[in-house]
Amino acid sequence: AQKITQTQPGMFVQEKEAVTLDCTYDTSDQSYGLFWYKQPSSGEMIFLIYQGSYDEQNATEGRYSLNFQKARKSANLVISASQLGDSAMYFCATYPAGNTPLVFGKGTRLSVIA
Amino acid sequence: DGGITQSPKYLFRKEGQNVTLSCEQNLNHDAMYWYRQDPGQGLRLIYYSQIVNDFQKGDIAEGYSVSREKKESFPLTVTSAQKNPTAFYLCASSPASLRREQYFGPGTRLTVT
């Protein structure tokens, strides 16, 4: 079964600095996808970025980029030029084998310091 | 604007009462999901539905029930059999394939005393 591991319960970053949030996954599938979501204190989950296992280039969406290292089974989220509004929980997710819904990691709480 | 609506935002109930949480989407998505989130934890899947009149149990379905009579609606009932119902409940939807990004509603915070 697919498994997502986020080893950093909490992270601090200075405003305007870059930060990397770790995510490793465990799969035997050849075709899979990795997703990152942001959850502000309001509670809503916001989809940030997606990386497919066959995508040759790392995904980027504005200040978000995904450092995808297939051999290491890692899909780390990089946030550049951190802003105070980036303070939130961040979840990594993937889908298990077969046609079943996403499974989520336990999340990393990011705090941006002015 | 297209999106997912959950109501109410906060819900309070006495122990022993069933309560139904609403989830409506106008994204024309086929699949819908219910997750539970406890403080400091990730999301755990309760139920999901890929088409109308069909749904599957997730990892923690005991004490919950759902229906999918319309494509747009996927209500969740928290029954009195759920031993620890106080939690944050998130509804989501996605296009036909489950192997796609899911879009979430704002959530309902349920407190049972």
Side-chain angles (χ1 to χ4, degrees):
Chain A
Q2 296 277 30
K3 185 179 175 183
I4 290 282
T5 302
Q6 295 181 254
T7 57
Q8 307 152 313
M11 291 278 289
F12 290 89
V13 64
Q14 202 76 32
E15 197 177 6
K16 300 180 185 177
E17 298 292 314
V19 63
T20 298
L21 306 184
D22 294 342
C23 172
T24 58
Y25 56 92
D26 181 15
T27 179
S28 55
D29 285 354
Q30 296 301 311
S31 175
Y32 53 89
L34 283 307
F35 303 79
W36 276 93
Y37 284 82
K38 172 184 179 180
Q39 187 180 40
S41 57
S42 61
E44 186 169 356
M45 296 281 284
I46 302 166
F47 168 66
L48 295 178
I49 195 167
Y50 165 81
Q51 177 85 43
S53 58
Y54 289 120
D55 294 340
E56 293 188 356
Q57 300 221 344
N58 285 343
T60 60
E61 288 288 346
R63 295 186 298 110
Y64 303 108
S65 61
L66 214 152
N67 183 1
F68 184 49
Q69 298 187 41
K70 203 169 178 178
R72 294 185 177 184
K73 294 187 176 179
S74 75
N76 299 337
L77 178 70
V78 180
I79 305 174
S80 63
S82 296
Q83 302 172 356
L84 295 177
D86 293 334
S87 294
M89 285 289 289
Y90 289 82
F91 293 93
C92 182
T94 189
Y95 33 68
N99 198 25
T100 50
L102 291 178
V103 292
F104 290 81
K106 292 189 181 299
T108 295
R109 181 171 298 280
L110 177 67
S111 299
V112 180
I113 305 166
Chain B
D1 284 1
I4 302 173
T5 304
Q6 290 186 248
S7 60
K9 180 71 173 172
Y10 299 95
L11 191 54
F12 298 89
R13 280 295 184 272
K14 294 289 187 185
E15 195 173 324
Q17 294 179 336
N18 292 354
V19 59
T20 297
L21 280 59
S22 166
C23 178
E24 304 276 334
Q25 56 99 358
N26 60 5
L27 299 168
N28 199 33
H29 285 169
D30 290 295
M32 297 187 73
Y33 316 80
W34 275 105
Y35 291 91
R36 169 182 172 138
Q37 187 178 29
D38 292 287
Q41 299 296 314
L43 278 64
R44 293 186 289 169
L45 182 66
I46 305 173
Y47 269 99
Y48 66 100
S49 167
Q50 293 181 259
I51 56 172
V52 174
N53 292 323
D54 188 42
F55 47 83
Q56 285 77 41
K57 293 182 179 180
D59 301 319
I60 56 165
E62 185 174 350
Y64 300 96
S65 66
V66 294
S67 62
R68 187 87 186 276
E69 298 177 1
K70 299 187 299 181
K71 186 176 183 178
E72 304 79 21
S73 179
F74 191 41
L76 173 74
T77 297
V78 184
T79 75
S80 57
Q82 169 49 234
K83 294 179 181 174
N84 187 15
T86 295
F88 186 56
Y89 291 87
L90 283 158
C91 178
S93 70
S94 69
S97 170
L98 295 178
R99 300 168 79 84
R100 292 283 306 272
E101 67 271 18
Q102 296 175 5
Y103 295 90
F104 285 80
T108 293
R109 193 167 300 278
L110 173 65
T111 302
V112 177
T113 57

